[in-house]
Amino acid sequence: MKRYALLVAYDGTDYGGWQIQKNAVSVQQRMEEACARVFGARTCVTASGRTDSGVHAAGQVCHFDAETTIPAEKIAEVLNMHLPPDISVLNSAEAPEGFDANRSAKKKTYCYRVYLSPRRNPLKDRYSVWVKTPVDISKLKYISGAFVGKRDFKAYCKSGSQVKTTVREVYSVRVESGESYGSRDVEIYVCGAGFLYNMVRTIAGTMLCFAQGFLSEDEIARSFSDLDREAVGRTMPSKGLTLESVEYGLENFL
Amino acid sequence: MKRYALLVAYDGTDYGGWQIQKNAVSVQQRMEEACARVFGARTCVTASGRTDSGVHAAGQVCHFDAETTIPAEKIAEVLNMHLPPDISVLNSAEAPEGFDANRSAKKKTYCYRVYLSPRRNPLKDRYSVWVKTPVDISKLKYISGAFVGKRDFKAYCKSGSQVKTTVREVYSVRVESGESYGSRDVEIYVCGAGFLYNMVRTIAGTMLCFAQGFLSEDEIARSFSDLDREAVGRTMPSKGLTLESVEYGLENFL
């Protein structure tokens, strides 16, 4: 048995998220089905972490163990023959010594995308969310610093989540913006060691509320001091969220 | 009765093209249904031109005649309430004197999009076509000039098309390229007075064939001198094509 690592991209629109579950088709299920066909044996595929229902991935990383004569770098192509069009293995390699896609992950970067426009644009709607109320981009950039650091993100987590601690470290929040098709595209990149359920989508919603004038800097401060869920913006829809990349602090192995 | 002009965007994936037809749902049909609901009468919606099955539009222009008390600039919003998510009216206005979305059109710009990558990327697949064989971008830019001018594009037209003349004038062909998600995105913008059926997709296929080394400059010259269909590249799939804009030589009325 050898361990292999995969770099995977998927359009999450039609999936109930990464993780195998009863009531929806998951990306993990499709990956494990493809592995079963290629390696002729039930294969568990472990990702860097779950992505929620409807969330996309440009650079999800997974690992699995298998016995195969297929050269490691050819596995991507062979798996793709058994995967649906909305999932693609971009790269495959033998995993480094002791590698675990989930436990070895050091940093994850998510991107939340919106476009600012008086009207909906169907060509932007799949990976980005329409925002009609004007947003002040300079205020959006200004407030991004409020979310950086080791903090208690309890107010940014779906209530009822069972986690040991709601403290997480965010390394950076970066706002990029550009024009296309007559409207402004905004990308909010959030990089951290790990995230709570709904955390990135609620950070994005809070930043947007602030930049629209619906939430004050004081309120955002209170979301951390009093962990007040009323002081944060709405959790944005899943389709605007993409897992961009996962870093392992290892030399380019994928 | 007044004439109104609309700026419309649509994701063509699930449509049989712009024009009403028997065996598929068309964008025109959805537009006319929405008008019928809003204006309470059968309304013909005329576009700048047809787009083929699966082709997208970022800036299609249409007109229709109606009797209504809805202010012209509000019509966009009202029509959108009756349109499916993959069609959106971006703007509405009273049409200038004598305006006809089809006959008054002076220039159309189409964009053909591909991405160059050893592996398929589901996040790019909806509006762009995967090209696996390496493409020399500088050769792509070099050959773009070969299609500019007033020429007989018979070899670039689907055989069997019934048109009076296959001479068309192309004003410009521009190649843009950038990087995203680890692969190169290429955009081929073609601007002209009008195009034959499949012409832009066949120009794109011919340019790509040249830049991949499968077609010589001499062969492309022969496609115009001998109108030799064997001297052109393949007609690229419809999903990579977007009608970007239509110009009327009028002051911004939309």
Side-chain angles (χ1 to χ4, degrees):
Chain A
M1 282 288 218
K2 262 188 193 163
R3 177 157 291 189
Y4 297 92
L6 304 174
L7 183 67
V8 181
Y10 46 87
D11 178 324
T13 309
D14 297 330
Y15 293 98
W18 166 266
Q19 197 167 48
I20 287 179
Q21 55 203 274
K22 275 186 192 157
N23 303 311
V25 177
S26 64
V27 180
Q28 187 181 25
Q29 179 190 330
R30 290 285 178 255
M31 290 294 299
E32 295 192 353
E33 286 166 358
C35 284
R37 289 217 188 121
V38 171
F39 306 118
R42 169 148 168 61
T43 311
C44 291
V45 179
T46 303
S48 70
R50 312 173 189 187
T51 50
D52 297 342
S53 175
V55 172
H56 317 290
Q60 173 69 286
V61 177
C62 340
H63 81 250
F64 64 87
D65 299 316
E67 196 120 36
T68 178
T69 53
I70 304 170
E73 69 281 7
K74 293 277 178 210
I75 288 175
E77 211 167 328
V78 178
L79 282 174
N80 283 343
M81 292 174 192
H82 300 278
L83 284 166
D86 49 8
I87 305 176
S88 175
V89 180
L90 304 179
N91 219 341
S92 55
E94 214 177 293
E97 182 76 26
F99 179 83
D100 180 297
N102 176 249
R103 285 184 223 149
S104 313
K106 296 271 183 290
K107 261 190 206 181
K108 283 177 201 167
T109 303
Y110 278 92
C111 182
Y112 199 88
R113 290 181 172 84
V114 298
Y115 67 98
L116 314 178
S117 172
R119 310 256 189 268
R120 211 168 34 73
N121 190 324
L123 300 178
K124 299 189 177 195
D125 266 346
R126 202 167 174 94
Y127 305 114
S128 178
V129 168
W130 176 35
V131 173
K132 203 178 169 180
T133 310
V135 169
D136 182 334
I137 306 278
S138 62
K139 286 186 80 176
L140 204 60
K141 289 183 177 170
Y142 170 81
I143 205 64
S144 62
F147 303 93
V148 178
K150 202 167 184 169
R151 291 157 169 275
D152 192 336
F153 282 95
K154 189 168 194 290
Y156 294 81
C157 172
K158 196 173 183 175
S159 57
S161 302
Q162 296 194 334
V163 282
K164 269 186 265 173
T165 168
T166 47
V167 174
R168 290 290 183 280
E169 185 165 7
V170 169
Y171 299 128
S172 67
V173 179
R174 197 177 84 239
V175 176
E176 303 218 343
S177 94
E179 287 269 329
S180 71
Y181 291 149
S183 69
R184 183 150 287 274
D185 304 314
V186 177
E187 300 185 318
I188 302 174
Y189 288 88
V190 183
C191 173
F195 299 98
L196 299 164
Y197 187 52
N198 279 355
M199 180 172 147
V200 179
R201 287 155 60 187
T202 311
I203 289 176
T206 303
M207 288 175 66
L208 287 162
C209 268
F210 173 79
Q212 288 170 327
F214 299 139
L215 211 57
S216 70
E217 204 173 346
D218 277 0
E219 284 173 293
I220 293 173
R222 220 168 57 229
S223 74
F224 291 112
S225 58
D226 306 353
L227 309 179
D228 183 358
R229 240 196 109 73
E230 298 299 304
V232 306
R234 74 168 179 135
T235 301
M236 297 291 287
S238 57
K239 70 170 181 175
L241 189 63
T242 303
L243 172 58
E244 296 283 318
S245 61
V246 187
E247 286 169 66
Y248 290 91
L250 297 161
E251 287 298 307
N252 297 336
F253 65 100
L254 263 181
Chain B
M1 280 290 215
K2 263 189 191 159
R3 179 158 289 190
Y4 297 92
L6 303 175
L7 183 68
V8 181
Y10 46 86
D11 178 323
T13 310
D14 298 329
Y15 293 97
W18 166 265
Q19 197 167 51
I20 287 179
Q21 55 202 272
K22 276 187 191 155
N23 303 313
V25 176
S26 64
V27 180
Q28 188 181 25
Q29 179 189 332
R30 290 284 178 252
M31 291 294 297
E32 295 194 352
E33 287 167 357
C35 284
R37 288 216 186 125
V38 171
F39 306 118
R42 168 146 169 63
T43 312
C44 291
V45 180
T46 304
S48 69
R50 312 174 187 186
T51 50
D52 296 342
S53 176
V55 172
H56 317 289
Q60 173 68 285
V61 176
C62 342
H63 81 251
F64 63 89
D65 299 317
E67 194 120 37
T68 177
T69 55
I70 303 169
E73 69 281 8
K74 293 279 178 208
I75 289 175
E77 210 167 328
V78 178
L79 282 174
N80 283 342
M81 291 173 191
H82 300 279
L83 284 166
D86 48 10
I87 304 176
S88 175
V89 180
L90 303 179
N91 219 340
S92 54
E94 216 176 292
E97 183 74 27
F99 178 83
D100 180 298
N102 175 250
R103 286 185 222 147
S104 313
K106 295 271 183 289
K107 261 190 207 181
K108 283 179 202 166
T109 304
Y110 278 93
C111 182
Y112 200 88
R113 292 181 169 84
V114 298
Y115 67 96
L116 315 178
S117 171
R119 309 255 190 270
R120 209 168 38 71
N121 189 325
L123 299 178
K124 299 188 177 195
D125 267 345
R126 200 166 177 94
Y127 305 114
S128 178
V129 168
W130 176 35
V131 173
K132 204 177 168 179
T133 310
V135 169
D136 182 333
I137 307 278
S138 62
K139 286 186 79 176
L140 204 59
K141 289 183 176 171
Y142 170 80
I143 204 64
S144 62
F147 305 92
V148 178
K150 201 166 187 172
R151 291 157 169 276
D152 192 338
F153 283 96
K154 189 167 193 289
Y156 294 82
C157 172
K158 198 174 182 171
S159 56
S161 302
Q162 296 193 332
V163 282
K164 269 183 269 174
T165 169
T166 48
V167 173
R168 290 291 183 277
E169 184 166 6
V170 169
Y171 299 128
S172 67
V173 178
R174 199 177 83 241
V175 176
E176 302 219 343
S177 94
E179 286 269 330
S180 71
Y181 290 149
S183 69
R184 184 152 286 274
D185 303 315
V186 177
E187 299 184 319
I188 303 174
Y189 288 89
V190 183
C191 173
F195 300 98
L196 299 164
Y197 189 53
N198 279 355
M199 179 174 149
V200 179
R201 287 155 59 190
T202 311
I203 289 177
T206 303
M207 289 176 65
L208 287 162
C209 268
F210 173 79
Q212 288 170 327
F214 299 137
L215 210 57
S216 71
E217 204 173 349
D218 278 358
E219 284 174 291
I220 293 173
R222 220 169 56 231
S223 73
F224 291 111
S225 58
D226 306 352
L227 309 180
D228 183 358
R229 239 196 110 72
E230 297 300 304
V232 306
R234 73 167 179 136
T235 300
M236 296 291 288
S238 57
K239 70 170 182 174
L241 188 63
T242 303
L243 172 59
E244 296 284 317
S245 60
V246 187
E247 286 170 68
Y248 290 90
L250 296 162
E251 287 297 307
N252 298 334
F253 66 100
L254 262 181

